[in-house]
Amino acid sequence: MSCRQCSLPPSHCACAERPRISSRCEFALLLHPKEQARPTNTGRFLAQSLAGTPCFSWHRTEPDPALAAWLAERPGQTFILFPVDRPELENRRAPRSQFTALRAPRLLLLDGTWKEVRKMLRKSPGLAPFPLLSLEEQTPSRYSLRRGAGADQLCTLESAAQVLRMLGEEPEAQALEAFTAHFCRRYRAFKSSHPPP
């Protein structure tokens, strides 16, 4: 029987180290259907660590009405975290200062593989009006549980930590990064039949 929160067996459960944090930013997650079943998913840990973080399911042909309602609440203060790495996205780039100057910004994180989240953005007309926030200054990823992840491709929890750092919330950012490393150690130990570190 695996832990319902971290998907690891009781012997390797990582939940005791999961932080409880707060932020002036209101986060929300839009999860690709395949991501919800992956034991290496880290978006769930953001929702578990930061109370009040809603999680929405993405479906190409049936947009989640709860997501539409969340997006409609404060459209002028809502951003999507996504790299502006193609010319066609440049007109949606939000200056970092536009985000950090807000007292209570809102940020939607697309949760899935890089291929999946690109499809989610492209195939979701309801997301088109919202500006994109890019992580221009970031540390290399230390998340090693997914194959093919490049050094500049952060997992969801690492991305959230970088946003917190951008907002000056350094202790909270460090707490998420420390838990990411802790979960990786526990997960690798379990997969290699080693005792938990």
Side-chain angles (χ1 to χ4, degrees), residues 14-91:
C15 293
E17 299 297 320
R18 191 177 62 243
R20 300 288 189 272
I21 63 169
S22 61
S23 173
R24 68 183 171 99
C25 180
E26 181 184 343
F27 289 88
L29 292 164
L30 180 58
L31 292 93
H32 190 277
K34 292 181 180 178
E35 190 66 21
Q36 299 179 47
R38 292 178 179 131
T40 54
N41 169 266
T42 65
R44 61 192 160 145
F45 296 131
L46 176 63
Q48 293 166 12
S49 296
L50 184 59
T53 300
C55 297
F56 307 106
S57 296
W58 181 80
H59 298 284
R60 186 178 64 80
T61 57
E62 298 178 22
D64 188 336
L67 171 63
W70 186 85
L71 290 171
E73 286 175 12
R74 287 190 280 135
Q77 298 175 307
T78 302
F79 301 75
I80 299 172
L81 187 66
F82 200 85
V84 178
D85 55 1
R86 290 174 292 164
E88 62 268 27
L89 296 177
E90 191 60 44
N91 66 332

Side-chain angles (χ1 to χ4, degrees), residues 21 42 51 56 67 69 72 76 85 92 95 102 104 109 134 141 150 158 166-167 171 173 177 180 194:
I21 63 169
T42 65
F56 307 106
L67 171 63
D85 55 1
R92 293 181 63 185
L102 292 170
L109 286 78
S134 288
S141 176
E158 289 175 318
M166 185 188 303
L167 294 171
E177 289 170 340
T180 303
H194 291 152

Side-chain angles (χ1 to χ4, degrees), residues 32-178:
H32 190 277
K34 292 181 180 178
E35 190 66 21
Q36 299 179 47
R38 292 178 179 131
T40 54
N41 169 266
T42 65
R44 61 192 160 145
F45 296 131
L46 176 63
Q48 293 166 12
S49 296
L50 184 59
T53 300
C55 297
F56 307 106
S57 296
W58 181 80
H59 298 284
R60 186 178 64 80
T61 57
E62 298 178 22
D64 188 336
L67 171 63
W70 186 85
L71 290 171
E73 286 175 12
R74 287 190 280 135
Q77 298 175 307
T78 302
F79 301 75
I80 299 172
L81 187 66
F82 200 85
V84 178
D85 55 1
R86 290 174 292 164
E88 62 268 27
L89 296 177
E90 191 60 44
N91 66 332
R92 293 181 63 185
R93 181 195 296 271
R96 175 174 167 166
S97 58
Q98 181 184 350
F99 176 77
T100 58
L102 292 170
R103 183 181 60 82
R106 308 172 94 222
L107 190 65
L108 180 67
L109 286 78
L110 309 186
D111 199 11
T113 66
W114 280 95
K115 182 178 180 181
E116 289 165 353
V117 298
R118 288 187 186 284
K119 179 180 180 181
M120 290 163 69
L121 186 71
R122 190 174 67 251
K123 300 284 188 179
S124 302
L127 301 182
F130 296 91
L132 304 179
L133 179 70
S134 288
L135 297 174
E136 296 167 4
E137 301 169 12
Q138 63 186 45
T139 56
S141 176
R142 296 181 180 175
Y143 189 70
S144 58
L145 300 183
R146 295 271 180 99
R147 281 184 227 152
D152 62 336
Q153 297 177 345
L154 304 181
C155 72
T156 303
L157 205 57
E158 289 175 318
S159 297
Q162 290 295 310
V163 172
L164 295 174
R165 186 165 283 120
M166 185 188 303
L167 294 171
E169 299 172 351
E170 184 64 30
E172 292 79 4
Q174 291 182 8
L176 290 188
E177 289 170 340

